[in-house]
Amino acid sequence: MEFFDHPRLWHGADYNPEQWRQDPAVLEEDIRLMKQAGITIVSVGIFSWSDLEPTEGVCDFGWLDEVMDRLAAAGIRAALATPSAAPPPWMAVRYPEILRADERGLRRRYGVRQQHCLTSPLYREKTAAFNRRLAERYKDHPALALWHVSNEYGGECFCPRCQAEFRRWLKDRYGGIGELNAAWWGSFWSHRYSDFEEISAPSPVGENLVSGQNLDWKRFVSDCHIAFFDNEIAPLRELTPQIPVTANLMNTYPGIDYQKFARHMDIVSWDNYPTWHRGDNAVVAQQTAFIHDIYRGLRDGQPFLVMESTPSQVNWHGVNKLQRPGVLRLSALQGLAHGSDSMQYFQWRKGRGSHEKYHGAVVDHVGHPHTRVFREVSEVGAVLARMQSLAGTGKESPAALIYDWENEWAIRGMNGFNNERRTYQPVCERYHAPLWRAGISTICIGEEQDFTPYRLLVAPMLYMLKDGVAKRLAEYVAAGGNLVLTYMSGMTDSHDLCFRGGFPGEGLRQVCGVWAEETDALYEEDRQSVTFGGVSYPVRRSCDLLHAEGAQVLAAYDRDFYAGTPAVTCNRYGRGRAWYVGFDDDGAFTSAFMEELIRELDLPRPLPGPIPYGVSVQQRGERIFLLNFLDSPARLPLPAAYTDELTGGRVEGEAQLPPYGAMVLI
Ligand code: GAL
């Protein structure tokens, strides 16, 4: 595949020339400016269905032909989109069955976008047929580089057809109603079904408290999106097998199991909109790094794309702050440092009307390139051009962190302990942060991915264990791995049915050498602490009450009726070790604990010296990225002499980073 055989760092933008057809000079000027800004790829056709098929069966591809031809002539490639994210009005009005129904059953009217039913055979037929036309028309077009399938798949539909499909899906999963009743613990509150036909989707006016059912609904909706995607890409695969396929994803959007979805694409891409300058930029950078590490993990370390980002500000926050000068370049470099092969924007040119006219874009309403944003974008273009040899390269990760989509669903859906303050992602971020701050590359993976390549495996709140996961974790530790588990681990199976025989279940009790007998939930005003390494750290929200069953106790609770009982343990199991942290905190303990672990395991770091707060040090291949996310200067000691790829200058002894400054050392 050209895209992969000759990898490139892409510099791109969403381009919506259909909004400018009344003014042909705009297209010409856009192409000229794209060249000037070093743009190498644009996503076209994302929301173009009503311009491509203005009335049923009457198509107008002329304008898109011209756009594709002009792009090709200018050496710019196209990520050609399929238009399914926004059906044309005529379709919704003529075939209302394609529209979604909400959870109370109310059918939507035409409007906004992503309004289509996920199982509508008619909509699937229409999208596949239209995609076939696109592929037939552009399959040999020199501009075509990538299929950008739809836009940000998401949402759910509760129409009668989707409900019937849900029942069919359940029949496939369970075979018989008895198996379903067992999985959903049906005799609770008289919920024993006698027939699949009695089952509905979860609803605020119906059933919504059966956690096994809620999980299955989420799995079903996720599978519907994936089936919709497979249906969309079938003609693309058939007619353009050489063109890779992606869909632009959204952070850790919980509506689709991205760890499953990613397997259906050739390359994953995501839309990256960090809230720079809201609070501490170092925290925003850390949170963004976590998401990049998830995207690198989705396809086992393969490079990914940043499909969208804003070149200046968004329009959908309460306060839409401008990115300060230099932050755009930092953002781009951060993506590259974590494994991205692109920096792309939403969008190329601001539209004059409707909802997004004040959203940041490369070309502003003023229309010329003499703007701060255009200059910064051009600078990113130059950086990407200089760093082409980075494209397609991998990134070694000595550490992995398990962030699992289904586990997130299960944690969100269960009732008990600290319902008010139980969150999964922030806890994962808290364990990821010290690794990020130390410059240790960490890949985020799901429960079903391979654990064996990593020296350290951190699995915060591994509440729901899918089949076989506990066994694989035990094997990992026995073979010499280092595993960190936390409170609320190993509690249920994939139906959210509790394990019997003591938590953490499924043999993890032996691996960790602890039994978590009870879990306490703390009010905000409650005080609890642990003493670790001679320092007292506050404990928050949740505490497992542990018995050491062979594990060494590293810290104990300081207060309450469980004062003096184990809070942090370490157990030797086979050739490896398993740590168990019994509680949640606000980060002080997590940092101290993880820093100690990093020291003890001597995890490889790109630079040996201390890293100032707010600076990220990440290695990808031979390059070491130094990124200062704060608006104050920073200095780092260097062990050797390097060349800064951004300037070509020599750096020795110390790296001096200006506010929002960056270096790429080789
Ligand atoms: C994305 C979306 C784009 C645009 C952008 C604005 O979520 O894919 O089409 O709306 O947000 O920030």
Side-chain angles (χ1 to χ4, degrees):
M1 253 180 240
E2 198 248 2
F3 196 83
F4 296 119
D5 290 348
H6 306 283
R8 287 177 67 174
L9 296 186
W10 299 96
H11 189 215
D14 277 21
Y15 184 38
N16 302 301
E18 64 273 25
Q19 294 174 17
W20 298 96
R21 287 169 63 195
Q22 74 287 2
D23 189 349
V26 169
L27 175 59
E28 193 159 338
E29 178 65 354
D30 279 337
I31 303 261
R32 188 182 76 79
L33 293 178
M34 283 175 194
K35 297 288 291 175
Q36 196 174 318
I39 293 290
T40 55
I41 194 164
V42 286
S43 302
V44 286
I46 301 176
F47 300 113
S48 303
W49 203 338
S50 67
D51 276 78
L52 290 170
E53 191 179 1
T55 54
E56 187 165 14
V58 180
C59 285
D60 174 8
F61 283 100
W63 64 268
L64 186 55
D65 291 349
E66 191 188 348
V67 171
M68 292 289 279
D69 292 350
R70 283 194 181 230
L71 290 173
I76 299 168
R77 308 295 297 274
L80 185 56
T82 67
S84 65
W90 59 257
M91 196 186 293
V93 171
R94 187 167 306 163
Y95 308 107
E97 72 204 76
I98 69 158
L99 294 172
R100 284 182 193 177
D102 71 11
E103 51 193 0
R104 288 172 189 259
L106 189 66
R107 185 77 74 172
R108 279 190 61 151
R109 295 186 212 141
Y110 175 76
V112 195
R113 53 183 175 175
Q114 273 100 9
Q115 75 260 56
H116 56 275
C117 162
L118 301 181
T119 64
S120 159
L122 184 71
Y123 197 57
R124 287 201 184 180
E125 191 187 308
K126 294 248 175 232
T127 48
F130 196 85
N131 294 359
R132 177 171 291 282
R133 286 182 116 140
L134 277 176
E136 276 167 352
R137 194 166 189 96
Y138 298 110
K139 66 180 182 335
D140 298 318
H141 200 287
L144 181 62
L146 175 67
W147 286 109
H148 177 302
V149 178
S150 197
N151 193 69
E152 295 186 339
Y153 271 50
E156 48 193 349
C157 174
F158 295 82
C159 76
R161 185 183 39 240
C162 283
Q163 306 250 3
E165 287 298 328
F166 179 46
R167 288 187 280 272
R168 202 193 319 266
W169 184 95
L170 290 169
K171 255 186 228 162
D172 282 351
R173 180 169 168 84
Y174 293 107
I177 198 70
E179 285 79 2
L180 176 138
N181 282 321
W184 289 4
W185 208 245
S187 292
F188 178 74
W189 285 353
S190 180
H191 278 42
R192 183 163 287 278
Y193 291 100
S194 69
D195 192 293
F196 282 92
E197 291 309 308
E198 295 156 6
I199 299 171
S200 304
S203 161
V205 291
E207 183 50 60
N208 52 50
L209 288 180
V210 177
S211 49
Q213 179 176 3
N214 291 342
L215 274 172
D216 278 340
W217 172 254
K218 284 184 183 302
R219 292 187 180 113
F220 163 74
V221 171
S222 179
D223 282 358
C224 285
H225 280 290
I226 295 171
F228 191 94
F229 179 83
D230 286 344
N231 180 67
E232 278 219 60
I233 66 171
L236 314 181
R237 293 266 189 239
E238 180 194 324
L239 294 163
T240 59
Q242 77 287 9
I243 302 294
V245 164
T246 193
N248 55 333
L249 308 179
M250 304 172 274
N251 284 44
T252 51
Y253 171 69
I256 304 174
D257 181 346
Y258 282 174
Q259 277 149 346
K260 227 170 156 185
F261 195 11
R263 303 282 151 196
H264 294 245
M265 309 174 192
D266 298 310
I267 186 164
V268 289
S269 58
W270 77 287
D271 297 344
N272 177 20
Y273 291 97
T275 42
W276 297 122
H277 317 297
R278 182 172 179 192
D280 183 348
N281 245 15
V283 174
V284 181
Q286 187 280 313
Q287 290 168 334
T288 309
F290 173 74
I291 308 288
H292 281 310
D293 287 342
I294 285 183
Y295 281 86
R296 190 169 81 260
L298 285 183
R299 290 186 56 87
D300 309 308
Q302 185 186 298
F304 57 92
L305 302 176
V306 171
M307 185 58 82
E308 293 180 22
S309 62
T310 178
S312 62
Q313 64 196 151
V314 298
N315 71 331
W316 40 266
H317 284 309
V319 175
N320 297 291
K321 203 169 173 77
L322 290 173
Q323 282 174 182
R324 275 29 204 168
V327 172
L328 182 68
R329 190 181 71 147
L330 268 185
S331 238
L333 288 169
Q334 186 183 32
L336 300 184
H338 283 267
S340 165
D341 268 1
S342 79
M343 179 63 170
Q344 292 160 263
Y345 312 107
F346 179 84
Q347 62 176 329
W348 170 255
R349 179 185 280 271
K350 283 185 183 172
R352 289 187 59 202
S354 207
H355 175 60
E356 289 181 328
K357 57 183 172 295
Y358 299 118
H359 191 289
V362 182
V363 179
D364 209 329
H365 293 294
V366 71
H368 62 59
H370 311 295
T371 61
R372 176 180 74 90
V373 170
F374 193 93
R375 277 193 297 276
E376 291 202 30
V377 166
S378 306
E379 197 191 334
V380 172
V383 166
L384 291 169
R386 211 171 301 143
M387 293 178 63
Q388 280 303 323
S389 64
L390 183 72
T393 62
K395 183 172 158 73
E396 292 287 311
S397 294
L401 183 144
I402 297 183
Y403 177 89
D404 188 89
W405 250 259
E406 289 204 4
N407 187 43
E408 197 276 339
W409 294 344
I411 290 171
R412 193 191 292 240
M414 54 93 56
N415 289 291
F417 316 121
N418 201 331
N419 285 328
E420 286 175 9
R421 293 192 165 76
R422 181 183 55 249
T423 50
Y424 176 49
Q425 186 170 330
V427 177
C428 291
E429 287 176 4
R430 267 201 287 288
Y431 278 87
H432 179 270
L435 290 158
W436 176 78
R437 281 197 296 268
I440 290 161
S441 168
T442 306
I443 189 169
C444 299
I445 56 173
E447 284 186 16
E448 279 144 309
Q449 285 171 268
D450 186 7
F451 309 144
T452 57
Y454 311 107
R455 291 268 313 283
L456 172 65
L457 181 63
V458 188
M461 296 180 85
L462 197 64
Y463 165 77
M464 186 189 80
L465 297 174
K466 296 180 201 169
D467 288 354
V469 172
K471 186 166 167 284
R472 286 173 45 237
L473 287 172
E475 286 165 0
Y476 166 77
V477 180
N482 298 292
L483 173 68
V484 176
L485 292 182
T486 74
Y487 67 100
M488 281 187 70
S489 284
M491 300 186 85
T492 65
D493 68 7
S494 56
H495 305 296
D496 201 29
L497 292 175
C498 291
F499 293 124
R500 300 163 76 192
F503 301 134
E506 288 278 274
L508 291 181
R509 183 170 164 184
Q510 286 72 35
V511 174
C512 295
V514 288
W515 167 39
E517 184 184 345
E518 294 180 87
T519 298
D520 194 14
L522 308 188
Y523 290 106
E524 273 306 274
E525 61 274 21
D526 284 345
R527 291 291 161 259
Q528 177 58 282
S529 59
V530 297
T531 304
F532 176 73
V535 179
S536 170
Y537 294 95
V539 163
R540 314 278 286 156
R541 295 172 284 274
S542 198
C543 299
D544 277 359
L545 277 53
L546 303 174
H547 298 271
E549 297 179 330
Q552 183 193 352
V553 178
L554 304 182
Y557 292 110
D558 291 334
R559 302 171 188 225
D560 219 324
F561 76 93
Y562 45 96
T565 66
V568 184
T569 59
C570 177
N571 192 44
R572 289 201 174 274
Y573 182 81
R575 291 194 283 124
R577 282 184 291 175
W579 285 262
Y580 195 96
V581 177
F583 56 89
D584 195 5
D585 80 321
D586 284 338
F589 168 80
T590 317
S591 295
F593 171 75
M594 291 299 290
E595 281 160 17
E596 179 60 33
L597 211 56
I598 291 166
R599 258 194 306 278
E600 210 177 307
L601 300 179
D602 197 19
L603 295 179
R605 307 169 51 186
L607 295 177
I611 301 172
Y613 184 77
V615 173
S616 147
V617 177
Q618 281 286 318
Q619 183 154 6
R620 180 173 173 194
E622 54 169 359
R623 293 171 169 87
I624 302 173
F625 291 73
L626 309 184
L627 309 174
N628 177 12
F629 289 96
L630 299 186
D631 63 355
S632 49
R635 294 155 168 244
L636 285 91
L638 297 178
Y642 300 87
T643 302
D644 176 10
E645 198 179 15
L646 300 177
T647 60
R650 196 177 155 78
V651 198
E652 201 172 352
E654 186 181 73
Q656 297 187 3
L657 297 168
Y660 304 133
M663 282 184 184
V664 179
L665 304 181
I666 38 177

